[in-house]
Amino acid sequence: MLDIQTKLNPVPFTRVRIDDPFWMERSRTNREHTIPAIYDQCERSGRLEALKLQWREGEPKPHVFWDSDVTKWIEAASYSLALHPDAELEKRVDETIDLLASGQQPDGYLNIYFTAVEPGKRWMDLKDAHELYCAGHLFEAGVAHFEATGSRKLLDVVCKYADYIAQVFGSAEGQIQGYCGHPEIELALVRLYRCTNNRSYLDLSKYFVDERGRQPNYFDSEKEARGGTPAYFEHYFSAPGRQTTHDYSQSHKPVREQEQVVGHSVRAMYLYSAMADLAEEYNDPTLMDACKNLWNHLTETQMYITGGIGSSEGNEGFTDEYDLPNDTAYCETCASIGLVFWNHRMLHATGEAKYADVLERALYNGAISGVSLSGKSFFYVNPLESHGQHHRQEWFEVSCCPANLSRLLTTLGQYIYSEGEREAAVNLYVQSTGELAVNGEQVKLRQQTNYPWEGHVAVTLELGKSSEFALKLRRPGWCSRVEVSVNGEKQPASVEKGYIVLDRVWNNGDRVELEMEMVAERIYVNPAVAADRGRVAIQRGPVVYCLEEADNGPGLDKLSLSPEAPLNVKFDASLLEGVAVIRTMAQRPIEQDWAGKLYANKRGRSENIEVSAIPYYAWDNRQPGAMLVWIRESS
């Protein structure tokens, strides 16, 4: 059974104030540039106009998933308003909500495409048409707007739609016994339940998760009901490898029987997030065991060092175990974001720091690489090697990633702290102040740190009165040596489930200091990963590094790092908004030895050169050029 006696809950981002050197600039950029840029793109692309439901035959058709781009923007903007009131942004949000609400049908149904373009085809293509997926993002937007503003303006619209869906779907006679091809509504319904305390939403989420993968497979039955003809949208979602099996949508078998991550990576992360939620809500160890098995398979055989997941463009997802190519790595930004969501849930369900380690890896590398430092251009795909052709774009035909990343950044505070009946936990080291409730009392934790560039963290406690509880500080998986002190006195670093636990009576003003050894180090991969045999990556703290042509010139793949050369670290405040640069020695072939030759009967000579590595998240923010994470290592 799940351990509910020592359960920790995330501290809401509204009770966290971040003033961190690393994250403050990203938060400001998100607020001042990214959120407005996404709105402008929604306007230019016709997404906002489509909400008026005035499409006419012969005009470009709205896409089936356009609703979700708009509602994710509402979610990001609403959460931004919660911390940073902005009259102009609030006006835009209200106007967009009015447009959405105006399209709700009398029975509660709300979807651009199947109201304006194909009104007679509701729920006929659950496999591909994204109706329930769009509903899920609408539900999340309704919860976000209510939590941020206290207004039920969008929440009431959402609840009416959710009530309608609960009537349409289920196992009773006359109901549709199906589920969405793209999981999302499942986790959204749990959020809606927690917001409204309406149990029917939680039960509907459980129904969708339990129904997935049962035989006969619903998507086969759905196609048979159409007379065997392909769904209208199947041409759009039928890239090679995507639709050949039900693995793509994780509907190949019941979720409790799934032990290996398969299919579309974003769909998998959203499904697993819902499974973790339901395992907690229903105290269901069978769902949690499935989550743990899937997590082990993912992290042991399918996850990139950057926290990127999904190696193949063909299915936007997983392939064979250890198949982790670099230049063709897909690693959709949304997939790393989904990995953050899932691991956040697993962390609180288990109390194990290993889930926070993966969350942190994805956050500092594979997720924030998805947006430029300007905040106005984005990666959909995040490869670990580029020959100079891969660049961020201002928008995409399928633009799920920009608003998804924006909503992650607006709620960053919720990932930092956790609270329990007599426990306070620090999960991420971000300079901030968190207001926690422990032992029925308010406890303020004030973090001071220059993480991720330095390993020193100071936590000062502000208490109304002395209180006995356990303060838990995550010992990151990358950290080999740590020292802890309380009020200047060293303490034993007792570690439980990856957390340093300090259980004592705390007084106002007590100061805990954590000194984590943060050194640049070489990282090697399981030799089963063919793409990286004989190669090495560089990591320092949670940050993965790469070589970029802007620093090292062309021919990155010809370089070989010296295995014993020091990895020298120096912070450069003027580079890429301030980064720690790692310099070391490498060997480069002398091109002159190969002039006019394709083959030779002896090795060519090499010259020693100094190379510079920058954080992976910051690449492609200067002049175009090649990039490389996994670098050859000289023998």
Side-chain angles (χ1 to χ4, degrees):
M1 302 294 283
L2 302 181
D3 185 3
I4 59 175
Q5 301 300 318
T6 58
K7 183 181 180 331
L8 287 171
N9 295 304
V11 175
F13 74 94
T14 50
R15 288 199 264 132
V16 179
R17 292 293 181 270
I18 296 174
D19 60 341
D20 183 83
F22 184 87
W23 288 108
M24 278 289 287
E25 183 62 23
R26 283 158 184 79
S27 297
R28 183 194 65 76
T29 299
N30 183 51
R31 182 174 69 254
E32 295 181 2
H33 299 291
T34 305
I35 290 175
I38 293 170
Y39 179 88
D40 290 345
Q41 292 289 353
C42 284
E43 193 169 45
R44 292 178 203 166
S45 64
R47 283 163 168 80
L48 296 181
E49 183 69 20
L51 295 175
K52 298 177 182 178
L53 305 181
Q54 295 176 351
W55 178 84
R56 296 293 179 266
E57 190 71 41
E59 297 175 350
K61 290 182 180 180
H63 286 179
V64 288
F65 36 67
W66 270 11
D67 306 52
S68 65
D69 296 332
V70 175
T71 53
K72 276 187 284 188
W73 176 84
I74 292 175
E75 184 178 356
S78 296
Y79 283 143
S80 180
L81 289 171
L83 296 180
H84 302 279
D86 180 326
E88 181 60 30
L89 180 60
E90 185 176 6
K91 180 173 179 289
R92 280 185 168 183
V93 170
D94 284 341
E95 290 173 348
T96 307
I97 290 174
D98 288 340
L99 273 176
L100 267 172
S102 70
Q104 187 162 40
Q105 303 303 292
D107 59 4
Y109 185 81
L110 182 51
N111 181 282
I112 293 173
Y113 190 93
F114 289 100
T115 300
V117 182
E118 297 273 12
K121 294 188 176 181
R122 286 189 195 178
W123 314 126
M124 292 179 64
D125 183 12
L126 296 182
K127 175 171 171 280
D128 289 338
H130 286 58
E131 275 173 283
L132 291 172
Y133 167 86
C134 288
H137 278 302
L138 174 62
F139 296 172
E140 291 201 85
V143 171
H145 186 256
F146 174 73
E147 290 178 343
T149 67
S151 168
R152 293 188 62 94
K153 183 176 184 178
L154 184 55
L155 185 64
D156 287 340
V157 171
V158 160
C159 289
K160 185 177 180 180
Y161 191 14
D163 292 341
Y164 163 72
I165 291 175
Q167 294 173 3
V168 172
F169 290 88
S171 55
E173 185 177 354
Q175 291 183 304
I176 298 175
Q177 198 165 340
Y179 43 86
C180 192
H182 194 312
E184 153 62 23
I185 192 172
E186 299 86 350
L187 67 88
L189 283 165
V190 177
R191 288 191 65 188
L192 188 58
Y193 157 70
R194 290 171 176 170
C195 176
T196 64
N197 205 32
N198 186 330
R199 183 79 182 188
S200 68
Y201 303 147
L202 183 65
D203 291 340
L204 182 58
S205 175
K206 184 176 186 299
Y207 165 78
F208 282 137
V209 169
D210 287 345
E211 193 65 25
R212 182 172 295 272
R214 291 191 177 181
Q215 299 303 319
N217 189 284
Y218 177 77
F219 297 140
D220 293 335
S221 304
E222 177 183 69
K223 187 170 184 176
E224 185 178 345
R226 295 194 301 267
T229 59
Y232 179 82
F233 300 107
E234 198 152 339
H235 72 280
Y236 191 88
F237 299 102
S238 60
R242 287 189 182 178
Q243 301 294 333
T244 55
T245 69
H246 295 305
D247 293 27
Y248 178 69
S249 55
Q250 294 80 41
S251 59
H252 56 300
K253 61 174 67 174
V255 296
R256 290 169 180 80
E257 298 175 17
Q258 296 185 27
E259 296 182 339
Q260 297 186 342
V261 293
V262 295
H264 189 277
S265 54
V266 180
R267 298 175 194 230
M269 293 303 102
Y270 288 176
L271 174 62
Y272 304 160
S273 293
M275 289 166 60
D277 280 338
L278 293 170
E280 177 186 344
E281 292 293 344
Y282 287 93
N283 195 25
D284 184 343
T286 63
L287 272 179
M288 182 51 58
D289 286 345
C291 282
K292 290 178 178 178
N293 290 335
L294 290 163
W295 189 89
N296 288 337
H297 184 253
L298 173 69
T299 58
E300 292 172 8
T301 70
Q302 297 273 2
M303 186 178 73
Y304 283 92
I305 189 174
T306 56
I309 55 174
S311 59
S312 170
E313 180 182 8
N315 66 348
E316 294 187 312
F318 305 106
T319 56
D320 297 331
E321 293 180 347
Y322 306 107
D323 179 31
L324 297 171
N326 295 308
D327 58 345
T328 59
Y330 202 69
C331 295
E332 183 180 339
T333 299
C334 281
S336 287
I337 294 169
L339 188 62
V340 170
F341 294 163
W342 181 33
N343 278 274
H344 193 223
R345 289 162 166 83
M346 293 298 289
L347 167 65
H348 288 93
T350 66
E352 294 185 52
K354 66 181 182 180
Y355 299 108
D357 285 343
V358 173
L359 185 161
E360 181 182 67
R361 179 177 296 278
L363 182 64
Y364 279 92
N365 301 287
I368 61 172
S369 62
V371 62
S372 65
L373 296 180
S374 71
K376 295 183 179 181
S377 59
F378 309 91
F379 279 148
Y380 191 102
V381 176
N382 295 267
L384 280 74
E385 179 179 353
S386 170
H387 305 295
Q389 79 286 6
H390 190 75
H391 308 292
R392 295 180 181 87
Q393 300 177 40
E394 292 184 353
W395 202 241
F396 307 91
E397 184 179 14
V398 179
S399 274
C400 51
C401 298
N404 210 7
L405 185 52
S406 183
R407 68 176 181 147
L408 173 70
L409 292 173
T410 56
T411 57
L412 176 66
Q414 70 180 338
Y415 301 102
I416 302 174
Y417 302 102
S418 300
E419 60 188 10
E421 185 175 338
R422 61 172 312 277
E423 293 178 304
V426 181
N427 307 311
L428 296 179
Y429 297 112
V430 176
Q431 185 160 288
S432 57
T433 300
E435 297 180 0
L436 286 67
V438 183
N439 281 341
E441 303 288 337
Q442 185 184 78
V443 174
K444 278 190 178 181
L445 299 182
R446 169 62 184 157
Q447 265 196 84
Q448 293 174 290
T449 184
N450 193 29
Y451 196 91
W453 311 127
E454 297 175 9
H456 180 263
V457 180
V459 180
T460 303
L461 288 79
E462 297 181 23
L463 310 171
K465 62 179 182 180
S466 298
S467 182
E468 184 176 1
F469 59 88
L471 177 64
K472 303 173 72 173
L473 307 170
R474 180 174 67 96
R475 177 172 180 164
W478 55 260
C479 179
S480 60
R481 187 175 68 84
V482 61
E483 291 184 354
V484 187
S485 65
V486 177
N487 298 328
E489 296 184 7
K490 286 187 178 182
Q491 305 292 317
S494 174
V495 177
E496 298 176 9
K497 293 186 175 182
Y499 283 86
I500 298 167
V501 180
L502 301 170
D503 197 338
R504 55 182 286 162
V505 175
W506 297 98
N507 300 305
N508 185 46
D510 280 348
R511 180 180 173 89
V512 179
E513 292 186 81
L514 198 63
E515 192 66 55
M516 296 174 284
E517 185 177 38
M518 183 181 285
V519 296
E521 55 187 353
R522 294 166 175 82
I523 304 296
Y524 299 89
V525 71
N526 188 314
V529 180
D532 300 328
R533 289 179 194 145
R535 293 178 179 263
V536 62
I538 298 173
Q539 181 174 325
R540 183 173 182 267
V543 178
V544 174
Y545 279 72
C546 67
L547 300 184
E548 201 171 14
E549 186 174 336
D551 302 303
N552 303 291
L556 297 182
D557 197 46
K558 297 178 183 178
L559 298 176
S560 298
L561 290 188
S562 302
E564 297 179 1
L567 300 175
N568 300 309
V569 181
K570 185 176 182 181
F571 188 80
D572 188 340
S574 65
L575 180 64
L576 299 166
E577 296 186 351
V579 295
V581 177
I582 297 176
R583 293 184 174 87
T584 189
M585 297 305 296
Q587 286 76 50
R588 181 173 61 192
I590 296 176
E591 298 293 337
Q592 182 181 347
D593 286 3
W594 292 95
K597 298 177 184 177
L598 182 58
Y599 304 102
N601 59 4
K602 61 179 180 180
R603 296 174 67 118
R605 296 174 299 165
S606 295
E607 60 181 341
N608 292 323
I609 63 167
E610 186 179 61
V611 294
S612 297
I614 63 163
Y616 170 80
Y617 73 78
W619 82 278
D620 195 48
N621 278 285
R622 296 174 289 176
Q623 64 267 35
M627 180 276 297
L628 189 64
V629 171
W630 287 99
I631 312 155
R632 298 181 190 278
E633 188 174 58
S634 57
S635 58

